[in-house]
Amino acid sequence: MPNNAERTYIMVKPDGVQRGLVGEIIARFEKRGFKLIALKLEHATKEHLEKHYADLKDKPFFPGLIKYMASGPVVAMVWEGLDAVKTGRVMLGATNPLASAPGTIRGDYALAVGRNICHGSDSVESAEKEIALWFPEGVIQHTMASAEWVFE
Ligand code: UDP
Ligand code: MG
């Protein structure tokens, strides 16, 4: 992959979907210059979500987190571009929205850590695992006409 082709898994959580924030979240990644290479609406099973959040299984908030994430459909996406993992996390804001800067997604649209509307991979390794979990069918490799205006 070229240097600008890092991939991250970004998800609009059930509260983000119910609150009508899907378009807003997609628009931010689009406008920043990232390329959408996979997208679907999915009402995930608890088993699937337990795999997604396997690293957190011993945390006290884990049962509540799985219930919240299984409470409605999520929008699963893969975005590609320069430093997509770290920049994606910066765009989402801190895990606790009260600590998220204004201008970030959580800082603009959320208040509570247990209703923080979006997910983003925390490392390239996690991104690879999450993309394989949510998109076993693979992603769509394509070229954006805008690429040479976004990357040197
Ligand atoms: N979470 C929670 N209570 C906590 C910490 C986390 O409900 O005290 C939830 C929250 O929805 C968070 C998710 O668990 O987004 C995963 O936690 P993680 O530490 O991986 O935060 P993230 O990577 O989403 O910023
Ligand atoms: Mg995390």
Side-chain angles (χ1 to χ4, degrees), residues 76-99:
M77 298 178 272
V78 182
W79 290 91
E80 186 178 280
L82 194 62
D83 208 16
V85 170
K86 187 153 59 70
T87 305
R89 295 275 293 185
V90 171
M91 290 167 68
L92 299 192
T95 302
N96 184 344
L98 293 181

Side-chain angles (χ1 to χ4, degrees), residues 13 53 56 61 65 68 89 95 106 113-114 116 119-120:
K13 294 178 172 181
Y53 281 127
L56 301 174
F61 58 82
L65 172 62
Y68 155 52
R89 295 275 293 185
T95 302
R106 288 165 173 164
V113 68
N116 62 0
H119 165 86

